[in-house]
Amino acid sequence: AVVAPQVFAEHQRVRLCRDVEAEGYRLRRDMAGTVLSVYGNGVAYAVEFAEVDGGIAVVTIAADALMEAALQ
């Protein structure tokens, strides 16, 4: 059975469920970010991560690399 990835909304807090290398960034599992844009009805997301190489990074992340961030 194919499990559909969870769909996230813009401005939702998310967390990486695995290490990701994308767009020149090396992002680590459990890094939290905020969804800025949704691509392809949830196939991928533009996610803003703070504290990446001393600044803020906006990176396109596949849906299967994301999970909902626990509310703090």
Side-chain angles (χ1 to χ4, degrees):
V2 175
V3 177
Q6 183 173 354
V7 176
F8 303 105
E10 289 183 356
H11 309 294
Q12 185 172 352
R13 294 286 292 165
V14 293
R15 186 174 300 279
L16 291 174
C17 56
R18 59 179 165 85
D19 290 351
V20 173
E21 287 194 33
E23 300 175 28
Y25 296 105
R26 297 180 66 164
L27 306 171
R28 297 287 171 223
R29 181 178 177 268
D30 288 330
M31 286 183 73
T34 303
V35 174
L36 298 183
S37 297
V38 180
Y39 301 134
N41 293 321
V43 172
Y45 298 87
V47 181
E48 179 183 75
F49 294 95
E51 299 178 26
V52 175
D53 296 332
I56 295 173
V58 177
V59 185
T60 301
I61 305 291
D64 65 357
L66 294 172
M67 61 185 171
E68 186 171 5
L71 296 176
Q72 306 263 337

